[in-house]
Amino acid sequence: MRTPTASAPSAARPAPLAYRCPADGSHAPVESPAWRCPTCGGTWDLDFAPSSPVPLKSLAGRVNSLWRYEEALPLAGPAGGLTLGEGRTPLVPLTDHVSAKLDFLMPTLSFKDRGAVMLVELARRLGPGRVARVVADSSGNAGTAVAAYCARAALPCAVYVPEATSPKKTEQIRAHGAHVVLVPGDREAAAVAGRAAADEPGTFYASHVHNPFFLHGTKTYVYELWEDLGGRLPDTLVVPVGNGTLLLGAWLAVNELHAHGLVDRRPALVAVQAEAVSPLAAAFHAGAQDLAVSASPAPARPTLAEGIAIPRPPRAAQILRAVRESGGTFLTVTEPRIRAAQLDLAARGLFVESTAAACWAAVTADPGRVAGATVVPLCGAGAKTGLAAG
């Protein structure tokens, strides 16, 4: 990325980056305040592809954070820039063929740190002339991550969350110095409020859904697997899906590694949703390419997996396409299964929030639906929500 202001780090990429709308081909510079395509209102992709492969044999001597994969990132490493030591989380076996990646051991206790560091570093590099404050909307974890990195970058931050968000999560956001706005209604209501605030002058919208820099942070999840497995990837990646930010980041990384000849096959993506809120699973099994635009989303039922309770994800078409291209599928899990999986993981020494237990619930409910070496992410710590009631 070309340095947008004189105060930005000199290590930025030499070539300018641009947002690109996959629907109509529109472009905008990353310095633009437009957080979505002004022509069709769609989500941006980032017009970026790594020009050189990540050198596996050279990684051992690099910084112990996700910035070690500098060839694959749209922002160059933070020489004097932003980091909390995010990434490099452990991979531990659960069964003979299923392993868990412990992303709840991130600085803010969720995988959202992977994308948040990229968003806030971008806001920091854009400089005070363009960014007076940062706004995010979230069910809790993404907002916490953005708040933490804004605190590190000394950027004012406001986070819009549904009023029913876990008090432990809102307490964590406030502890980082961010202003919490409790929005009546569900996750979509919080998104609407956040987007309205994002349109105010001088605001950087740190949207983990709309801003593609977030996906280029979450893709480091797969780069770490590839490194830890000695240049291989597992046969199956099981991923929880609400807005799909981890799944889409994972698919970015898989395709980049394959394009550079660093892996010879691509793993199947198995996407997991709570049965109570499963619009993507329904669309996938109906053979749809997207969620029906004219139809109202099915009423969201209560679910323990609040982090993936998204009735209408903006990147639905991309998520469905990625799962199909990978040869994967969608699985849904019931509330009793989620609760049992959380308790089972805790009995194994891994206390995660109920959303993070959804993938383990899917794998244990139907072991025949996943093949070969499999990795599940444990995305958020149990300290954020406590044990599921029941």
Side-chain angles (χ1 to χ4, degrees), residues 43-126:
T43 54
W44 292 123
D45 284 345
L46 189 62
D47 218 351
F48 167 80
S51 59
S52 59
V54 173
L56 181 63
K57 293 182 179 179
S58 300
L59 292 175
R62 291 190 177 184
V63 62
N64 197 34
S65 76
L66 60 78
W67 294 103
R68 68 199 280 109
Y69 309 110
E70 58 184 359
E71 291 85 358
L73 297 176
L75 297 174
L82 191 67
T83 185
L84 289 169
E86 56 289 322
R88 304 296 294 134
T89 55
L91 183 67
V92 301
L94 295 177
T95 71
D96 289 342
H97 69 280
V98 179
S99 296
K101 187 157 175 60
L102 310 190
D103 259 25
F104 69 92
L105 297 180
M106 288 284 197
T108 76
L109 308 182
S110 92
F111 86 96
K112 297 290 177 63
D113 291 358
R114 294 186 183 276
V117 67
M118 298 295 291
L119 290 183
V120 179
E121 177 65 2
L122 174 61
R124 190 182 74 86
R125 294 187 187 197
L126 292 176

Side-chain angles (χ1 to χ4, degrees), residues 5-352:
T5 69
S7 61
S10 60
R13 297 288 186 191
L17 293 171
Y19 296 125
R20 175 180 53 81
C21 176
D24 64 23
S26 298
H27 283 78
V30 296
E31 296 86 357
S32 168
W35 53 267
R36 60 182 170 184
C37 175
T39 306
C40 70
T43 54
W44 292 123
D45 284 345
L46 189 62
D47 218 351
F48 167 80
S51 59
S52 59
V54 173
L56 181 63
K57 293 182 179 179
S58 300
L59 292 175
R62 291 190 177 184
V63 62
N64 197 34
S65 76
L66 60 78
W67 294 103
R68 68 199 280 109
Y69 309 110
E70 58 184 359
E71 291 85 358
L73 297 176
L75 297 174
L82 191 67
T83 185
L84 289 169
E86 56 289 322
R88 304 296 294 134
T89 55
L91 183 67
V92 301
L94 295 177
T95 71
D96 289 342
H97 69 280
V98 179
S99 296
K101 187 157 175 60
L102 310 190
D103 259 25
F104 69 92
L105 297 180
M106 288 284 197
T108 76
L109 308 182
S110 92
F111 86 96
K112 297 290 177 63
D113 291 358
R114 294 186 183 276
V117 67
M118 298 295 291
L119 290 183
V120 179
E121 177 65 2
L122 174 61
R124 190 182 74 86
R125 294 187 187 197
L126 292 176
R130 290 189 178 94
V131 177
R133 69 165 186 158
V134 174
V135 162
D137 55 76
S138 169
S139 60
N141 285 343
T144 299
V146 169
Y149 284 94
C150 280
R152 189 74 168 178
L155 286 170
C157 178
V159 181
Y160 291 73
V161 299
E163 60 184 353
T165 298
S166 165
K168 294 181 180 181
K169 292 182 179 180
T170 56
E171 180 182 12
Q172 190 180 6
I173 295 170
R174 290 191 181 98
H176 292 307
H179 175 56
V180 175
V181 183
L182 296 175
V183 180
D186 60 9
R187 176 66 181 86
E188 180 58 26
V192 170
R195 292 194 293 263
D199 288 329
E200 297 176 9
T203 299
F204 178 85
Y205 186 29
S207 171
H208 61 295
V209 181
H210 287 272
N211 193 307
F213 275 86
F214 195 90
L215 306 181
H216 284 271
T218 60
K219 75 182 182 184
T220 59
Y221 173 86
V222 165
Y223 275 95
E224 288 179 19
L225 289 176
W226 169 76
E227 180 183 358
D228 289 343
L229 295 174
R232 297 180 296 107
L233 289 177
D235 301 299
T236 305
L237 295 173
V238 185
V239 188
V241 173
N243 278 309
T245 56
L246 181 55
L247 182 141
L248 291 173
W251 194 231
L252 266 175
V254 165
N255 285 314
E256 289 171 2
L257 288 165
H258 191 263
H260 283 296
L262 298 175
V263 295
D264 58 6
R265 55 169 183 75
R266 287 174 271 212
L269 299 177
V270 174
V272 178
Q273 294 204 289
E275 188 179 88
V277 187
S278 52
L280 290 165
F284 180 88
H285 293 298
Q289 305 301 307
D290 200 350
L291 300 182
V293 175
S294 59
S296 298
R301 290 179 284 155
T303 177
L304 297 170
E306 63 179 8
I308 53 173
I310 310 297
R312 190 179 287 282
R315 295 186 184 272
Q318 291 177 295
I319 297 166
L320 292 166
R321 184 169 63 252
V323 173
R324 288 196 174 98
E325 287 179 356
S326 77
T329 190
F330 270 83
L331 301 177
T332 60
V333 288
T334 65
E335 300 304 296
R337 285 282 186 185
I338 295 171
R339 183 180 297 110
Q342 186 189 27
L343 291 171
D344 181 63
L345 287 167
R348 296 166 183 261
L350 301 167
F351 183 35
V352 300

